[in-house]
Amino acid sequence: DAMVIQNPRYQVTQFGKPVTLSCSQTLNHNVMYWYQQKSSQAPKLLFHYYDKDFNNEADTPDNFQSRRPNTSFCFLDIRSPGLGDAAMYLCATALATNYEQYFGPGTRLTVT
Amino acid sequence: QKEVEQNSGPLSVPEGAIASLNCTYSDRGSQSFFWYRQYSGKSPELIMFIYSNGDKEDGRFTAQLNKASQYVSLLIRDSQPSDSATYLCAVKSPYNQGGKLIFGQGTELSVKP
């Protein structure tokens, strides 16, 4: 059974058209993360939620926003996607007791 | 100096051999270390974690940690073509809330039949 689910798996959007990616988890983990990964690069942390507390990385552009309405769901909003935002977006979850992060399958975003 | 360094590879080993993947880290206060396997086009999969000095074995995988040398490694015994992937070393930052991981650039492993 999938424990961290991301939808959609593939997303095509137009330059400047807002897009929302979703992540859900059945693990009841209290920490959720969003990463951006470009080809042949390491995952880059955008932000994370520790329960309801939002933590933004200092170099995450304002164009990226996130919402976590409850423990199970987390959303990544890209307000005005640029060509440079084309990437794999990864959601991960962890328990605060050990911080072992488990990734979802990712959403591949294409910007045309 | 990068916080977490790995040889980018590619590392090529014959089927059945031992693959040795290495990682060094710069923050001496780091306590938790993780190895992820990532197949091309897929997401990272957690395969090993280690918190204490020494060896930790799980099936064909052994993680080794030497905090004095700030070095962590992953050994894969009896390598199989299905082990061909990029292996990411990740170190949990001791200074941030929320378990932020610092990733290395990954080592590409190729196991030849």
Side-chain angles (χ1 to χ4, degrees):
Chain A
D1 292 338
M3 295 179 288
V4 184
I5 301 165
Q6 291 188 244
N7 285 302
R9 295 291 308 279
Y10 301 91
Q11 176 72 58
V12 180
T13 191
Q14 293 177 337
F15 182 94
K17 185 175 181 181
V19 66
T20 295
L21 310 181
S22 74
C23 176
S24 63
Q25 52 123 346
T26 59
L27 299 166
N28 205 32
H29 285 175
N30 54 342
V31 192
M32 294 187 77
Y33 309 82
W34 279 105
Y35 290 87
Q36 178 193 67
Q37 188 178 27
K38 297 185 176 180
S39 182
S40 301
Q41 295 183 19
K44 178 182 181 297
L45 183 64
L46 297 173
F47 23 61
H48 75 271
Y49 278 92
Y50 187 110
D51 292 323
K52 293 185 177 182
D53 293 334
F54 176 72
N55 298 271
N56 201 31
E57 291 298 297
D59 59 353
T60 297
D62 292 341
N63 197 28
F64 292 87
Q65 303 286 318
S66 185
R67 297 169 282 135
R68 188 180 186 185
N70 54 53
T71 300
S72 300
F73 285 87
C74 196
F75 299 96
L76 170 61
D77 301 308
I78 308 176
R79 295 193 294 186
S80 182
L83 297 179
D85 296 327
M88 174 80 88
Y89 289 88
L90 297 163
C91 173
T93 73
L95 273 174
T97 50
N98 57 31
Y99 292 111
E100 294 161 14
Q101 292 189 26
Y102 294 89
F103 285 83
T107 295
R108 172 74 62 187
L109 178 68
T110 300
V111 182
T112 62
Chain B
Q1 180 187 6
K2 292 182 181 177
E3 293 179 83
V4 179
E5 293 203 53
Q6 297 180 252
N7 292 328
S8 60
L11 173 66
S12 183
V13 301
E15 184 175 356
I18 296 175
S20 178
L21 304 162
N22 304 316
C23 175
T24 58
Y25 59 95
S26 60
D27 194 327
R28 190 169 288 276
S30 301
Q31 297 292 326
S32 306
F33 307 86
F34 304 88
W35 283 99
Y36 286 85
R37 177 176 63 197
Q38 187 171 26
Y39 293 112
S40 180
K42 303 295 186 182
S43 64
E45 175 190 4
L46 179 63
I47 55 171
M48 289 289 284
F49 53 86
I50 186 166
Y51 305 139
S52 304
N53 273 330
D55 294 359
K56 179 181 178 182
E57 186 174 318
D58 184 0
R60 295 186 297 112
F61 298 101
T62 299
Q64 299 176 317
L65 175 60
N66 184 325
K67 289 185 179 179
S69 299
Q70 295 176 239
Y71 176 95
V72 58
S73 65
L74 179 69
L75 301 178
I76 306 174
R77 289 182 300 281
D78 188 23
S79 295
Q80 300 297 310
S82 58
D83 295 325
S84 298
T86 296
Y87 289 80
L88 295 165
C89 173
V91 178
K92 177 180 167 297
S93 170
Y95 303 117
N96 292 282
Q97 295 295 324
K100 177 177 179 177
L101 293 180
I102 311 299
F103 283 91
Q105 286 298 105
T107 298
E108 183 184 349
L109 173 66
S110 177
V111 181
K112 303 295 186 184

